Amino acid sequence: MSHTDHDSNHPRIISTLFASAGIAFLLAIVVFILPFQRKVEDVAIRAQGDVARHSAQSIQLAVSALVEREWDSLVGFSAYVDLDDHDGMRVLTDAAAMASEGITWAAVVGLDGTVMASTLGKNQGADVSTAPWFNQGLRGDTVQTASSGEGSRIFLSRPVRDAYGQAIGLAVYQLQGAWLDRVVQSAAARLEVDVMVLDTNSEPLFAYGDWSKAGPSALIRSRAELGTEFEVIVSSHDDAPTVSGVFPNVIEGSMPPFGWSLVVQVPVTTGATAMGSAMSSLIWTLAGLFAAIGVLAIVFAYRYLQPLANLAREAAQIANGESIFPSEATRTYEAEQLSNALARFQARMHREQGAG
């Protein structure tokens, strides 16, 4: 049996070329694509963090403008109150509630805590001296949030002062939490984000989106309690990464501090971002590159390596004593040298056989 009939465990040069091209392509993916993917994720997180920040700022501006309007109304209300004119106070309290959808109750309270006049006479004559908004309101402008079975209520209170600047009573507005809740939800729906408003104890007041079912995490609560600047928080919600941001003051302006925190959450979705599109384009580019490498490898193999493989097979046939003329290969310097060497070797063998 000739040597060429034996199977060899050594790989063929063409197979080696294809394997090397495949390994090189895989290494390129590992070295370039995976870090690029992580970079895309980082950019997506930063982009979504910017979305969360801008959405929070938009909601903050909308809610602050709305509440500041009510506070300015209370400032004017307290300036016009005349504690000696009961009918005038009743007109003012009724007009305040009629002028705004958010105000559900307006009242004037005496220094002893008795409600002197109120919207539609509600709670008129009642003693509210133990209410936190009353005690703090007499010392200066204040905001108090109360929760009950009827929902959240926000009390805006401001002293009524005489000509000498002395407090002689208290002007009070009660805002319904459901009114602000609708405003927050409407803004969140337009911005397509999940929103939660936390009170001074970091307990949810209003929620929209996924947070309507689940409360804030311990990390978000701590950020709200610390009252730090806006900070991006990356977490996983139902196995889906999300980016959240906490604004320590949801309501700003010429008003007493509310102590509320605004939390905005958006999902990390690279597909909807420019980098996600770039990643998709890159995948198609890599697919085209892989196809191009494959085509070039095939062309290279059959144009330059196949002649060498043929000459190697013919060399083995000549060594086995077969009388063949080697192929003429001129596409590479090495193939040409090998072809000429085999031709001279074959010619020498013929002369030696003829001489013998």
Side-chain angles (χ1 to χ4, degrees):
M1 180 179 292
S2 67
H3 177 74
T4 56
D5 293 334
H6 288 283
D7 293 332
S8 175
N9 293 325
H10 299 293
R12 294 181 179 273
I13 189 171
I14 295 179
S15 302
T16 304
L17 171 66
F18 291 143
S20 299
I23 293 173
F25 186 79
L26 292 177
L27 288 176
I29 291 177
V30 173
V31 172
F32 178 74
I33 299 303
L34 296 183
F36 185 81
Q37 175 65 28
R38 287 193 293 269
K39 183 67 174 178
V40 168
E41 293 174 355
D42 292 340
V43 171
I45 289 174
R46 287 198 297 271
Q48 295 300 83
D50 290 340
V51 170
R53 179 191 296 273
H54 295 154
S55 298
Q57 289 174 335
S58 299
I59 295 173
Q60 182 188 46
L61 289 174
V63 176
S64 295
L66 203 62
V67 176
E68 190 170 23
R69 184 188 67 186
E70 307 305 337
W71 179 260
D72 291 341
S73 172
L74 178 64
V75 172
F77 175 87
S78 64
Y80 282 104
V81 167
D82 182 358
L83 269 65
D84 295 327
D85 183 2
H86 181 269
D87 291 337
M89 289 190 295
R90 277 295 309 274
V91 171
L92 283 175
T93 56
D94 290 346
M98 293 176 60
S100 172
E101 180 185 357
I103 301 173
T104 58
W105 185 66
V108 179
V109 184
L111 291 177
D112 61 351
T114 302
V115 178
M116 301 177 64
S118 64
T119 302
L120 300 178
K122 181 181 179 181
N123 295 330
Q124 190 167 303
D127 183 7
V128 295
S129 59
T130 59
W133 53 264
F134 172 76
N135 294 298
Q136 294 187 23
L138 288 179
R139 294 193 290 269
D141 299 347
T142 186
V143 174
Q144 282 287 327
T145 304
S147 299
S148 65
E150 300 177 356
S152 300
R153 293 170 295 161
I154 301 96
F155 292 92
L156 311 180
S157 54
R158 177 181 174 86
V160 177
R161 302 184 185 275
D162 60 16
Y164 302 99
Q166 297 296 319
I168 57 176
L170 191 70
V172 185
Y173 277 2
Q174 175 184 299
L175 307 181
Q176 195 66 25
W179 170 65
L180 285 179
D181 190 11
R182 289 193 296 271
V183 173
V184 172
Q185 289 200 26
S186 176
R190 290 196 301 270
L191 295 169
E192 298 182 350
V193 294
D194 298 332
V195 173
M196 179 179 292
V197 176
L198 307 179
D199 62 14
T200 54
N201 298 318
S202 297
E203 294 297 330
L205 279 174
F206 320 126
Y208 175 81
D210 287 343
W211 274 328
S212 61
K213 301 177 181 178
S217 65
L219 181 59
I220 290 177
R221 287 179 184 271
S222 66
R223 293 293 186 273
E225 291 172 356
L226 291 173
T228 57
E229 295 297 323
F230 182 87
E231 182 178 355
V232 172
I233 300 172
V234 181
S235 59
S236 181
H237 184 69
D238 293 336
D239 296 328
T242 59
V243 173
S244 305
V246 181
F247 256 112
N249 296 309
V250 63
I251 298 178
E252 293 183 336
S254 58
M255 298 170 286
F258 276 62
W260 295 356
S261 299
L262 175 65
V263 187
V264 175
Q265 175 180 275
V266 294
V268 179
T269 52
T270 59
T273 64
M275 290 305 296
S277 300
M279 190 63 187
S280 299
S281 300
L282 180 63
I283 291 175
W284 283 108
T285 301
L286 288 174
L289 178 61
F290 181 76
I293 290 175
V295 171
L296 288 175
I298 293 173
V299 171
F300 182 83
Y302 286 98
R303 184 172 179 82
Y304 299 106
L305 297 184
Q306 186 64 46
L308 288 175
N310 293 337
L311 289 172
R313 184 180 65 256
E314 292 167 357
Q317 292 174 334
I318 293 172
N320 290 332
E322 298 183 23
S323 180
I324 62 171
F325 192 82
S327 303
E328 183 178 356
T330 59
R331 287 176 178 170
T332 62
Y333 176 76
E334 291 79 5
E336 184 178 16
Q337 275 195 321
L338 182 56
S339 177
N340 292 336
L342 289 177
R344 292 196 302 271
F345 179 71
Q346 183 74 307
R348 184 182 301 170
M349 286 183 61
H350 288 165
R351 288 197 299 270
E352 289 177 355
Q353 289 175 357

